């Protein structure tokens, strides 16, 4: 089954997280997901496109960015390296920035929403990679971490994670000085930054991972809103009472929340519409 829309919920205190994906057939495409922490009387389940007050910092020089940091359209992704849905969504955003970022029209900024057990230290490790090797090594190391993970796809499948002791080994494999990396990671110097970005994700409306905020310099046009509404309506219709729409728009119309990992073709259509509105 093609699973193209999914979201991991915030875990309870227990160490084991059980993922419960379900499927929704929409206009000939299959979107699957696991969406939790939404009450049946939630406003987002009653309205195809929810208008929200969305607070998120724009892209800054402190961010890890692919594409053009000064683009009129940016995707700010809050992600967790120990989330299977984030792992699957990661290459889809890479495709978008490859397609639209090379000509300067799109930026992708990665921020941490690390709530799984292994994720906070892995997030710190990516920051150490950036400190030593710069932006390129940040992304290379992040890709390495995702590639090293294997998540359960069935009851008999086995989860394969990364031990903390392996993180310096991964760094060395991409040309980062292992000793410097180990010193950085052991110091815990980036723990505060990782926690601050977690808090920022919550302020930006995140209830699970991945959580992406698309920022548009120009307000979303009618074509974009119509497409979002149609997609949300179809998903809510399939889910029934208590469902959660994956898209929410800010009150000023310049920000779009994408809750979970949306199918690549849908994301491409949305980004294309937003870019067209900004680069006429």
């Amino acid at each position: 089954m093609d699973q193209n829309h999914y979201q991991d919920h915030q875990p309870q205190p227990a160490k084991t997280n059980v993922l419960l994906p379900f499927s929704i057939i929409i206009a000939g495409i299959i979107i699957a997901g696991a969406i939790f922490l939404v009450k049946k009387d939630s406003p987002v389940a009653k309205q195809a496109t929810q208008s929200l007050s969305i607070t998120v910092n724009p892209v800054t020089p402190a961010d890890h960015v692919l594409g053009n940091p000064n683009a009129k359209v940016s995707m700010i992704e809050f992600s967790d390296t120990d989330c299977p849905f984030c792992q699957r969504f990661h290459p889809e955003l890479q495709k978008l920035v490859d397609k639209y970022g090379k000509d300067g029209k799109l930026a992708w900024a990665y921020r941490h929403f690390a709530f799984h057990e292994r994720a906070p230290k892995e997030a710190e490790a990516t920051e150490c990679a950036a400190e030593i090797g710069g932006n390129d090594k940040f992304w290379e190391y992040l890709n390495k971490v995702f590639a090293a993970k294997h998540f359960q796809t069935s009851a008999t499948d086995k989860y394969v994670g990364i031990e903390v002791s392996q993180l310096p080994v991964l760094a060395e494999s991409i040309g980062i000085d292992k000793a410097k990396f180990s010193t950085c990671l052991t110091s815990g110097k980036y723990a505060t930054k990782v926690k601050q970005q977690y808090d920022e994700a919550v302020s930006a409306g995140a209830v699970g991972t991945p959580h992406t905020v698309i920022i548009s310099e120009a307000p979303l046009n009618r074509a974009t809103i119509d497409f979002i509404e149609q997609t949300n309506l179809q998903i809510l219709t399939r889910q029934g009472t208590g469902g959660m729409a994956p898209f929410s728009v800010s009150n000023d119309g310049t920000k779009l929340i994408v809750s979970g990992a949306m199918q690549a073709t849908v994301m491409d259509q949305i980004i294309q519409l937003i870019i067209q509105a900004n680069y006429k």
Side-chain angles (χ1 to χ4, degrees):
M1 181 178 293
D2 180 16
Q3 296 184 334
N4 290 311
H5 171 241
Y6 17 62
Q7 181 183 41
D8 206 1
H9 67 296
Q10 291 194 36
Q12 299 301 313
K15 291 184 178 180
T16 302
N17 300 306
V18 180
L19 307 178
L20 302 174
F22 56 88
S23 298
I24 310 159
I25 300 177
I26 301 175
I29 59 174
I30 298 178
I31 293 178
I35 301 177
F36 302 84
L37 301 183
V38 180
K39 297 179 180 180
K40 290 185 178 181
D41 60 352
S42 169
V44 78
K46 297 178 180 179
Q47 189 171 329
T49 302
Q50 180 74 17
S51 293
L52 303 172
S53 177
I54 300 173
T55 302
V56 66
N57 293 323
V59 175
T60 73
D63 277 307
H64 306 296
V65 179
L66 288 181
N68 176 15
N70 299 312
K72 295 180 180 181
V73 182
S74 56
M75 303 182 297
I76 298 177
E77 181 199 15
F78 294 93
S79 187
D80 180 310
T81 53
D82 207 32
C83 160
F85 306 150
C86 299
Q87 182 196 54
R88 299 177 195 179
F89 196 45
H90 191 72
E92 304 305 337
L93 295 188
Q94 180 70 64
K95 291 174 187 175
L96 289 175
V97 81
D98 285 347
K99 184 175 181 179
Y100 299 107
K102 289 180 178 178
D103 60 358
K105 295 179 180 178
L106 181 66
W108 171 23
Y110 184 100
R111 295 177 188 169
H112 307 290
F113 189 28
F115 59 71
H116 285 89
E117 185 178 359
R118 298 171 186 258
K121 205 62 184 176
E122 292 172 358
E124 291 178 48
T126 64
E127 294 297 332
C128 287
E131 176 187 305
I132 299 167
N135 189 61
D136 289 346
K137 287 300 180 184
F138 169 86
W139 289 97
E140 189 176 355
Y141 189 78
L142 179 63
N143 293 341
K144 199 80 173 178
V145 171
F146 275 129
K149 297 290 184 77
H150 178 78
F151 296 98
Q152 288 179 287
T153 56
S154 68
T156 57
D157 202 6
K158 185 179 180 181
Y159 164 80
V160 177
I162 304 173
E163 299 298 329
V164 173
S165 60
Q166 293 177 285
L167 294 173
V169 178
L170 286 179
E172 187 177 40
S173 73
I174 61 170
I176 294 175
D177 185 284
K178 185 178 179 181
K180 289 182 179 179
F181 182 91
S182 296
T183 299
C184 175
L185 188 62
T186 302
S187 73
K189 63 193 296 183
Y190 288 107
T192 299
K193 179 178 181 178
V194 171
K195 177 58 168 60
Q196 287 174 340
Q197 291 193 351
Y198 177 98
D199 293 339
E200 183 187 359
V202 174
S203 296
V207 295
T209 50
H211 181 84
T212 307
V213 181
I214 301 173
I215 301 178
S216 171
E217 186 173 295
L220 303 185
N221 60 20
R222 189 67 251 171
T224 307
I225 295 295
D226 286 346
F227 181 82
I228 292 166
E229 287 181 346
Q230 289 174 2
T231 305
N232 277 346
L233 277 170
Q234 290 176 51
I235 292 174
L236 290 172
T237 299
R238 296 290 182 176
Q239 289 180 0
T241 303
M244 179 178 177
F247 298 112
S248 302
V249 179
S250 64
N251 293 328
D252 65 1
T254 64
K255 301 179 188 69
L256 172 65
I257 280 181
V258 183
S259 299
M262 180 56 65
Q263 187 183 30
T265 54
V266 176
M267 287 295 295
D268 188 280
Q269 181 66 29
I270 288 170
I271 292 297
Q272 187 179 132
L273 287 168
I274 295 175
I275 285 176
Q276 287 173 354
N278 278 274
Y279 294 93
K280 298 179 180 179

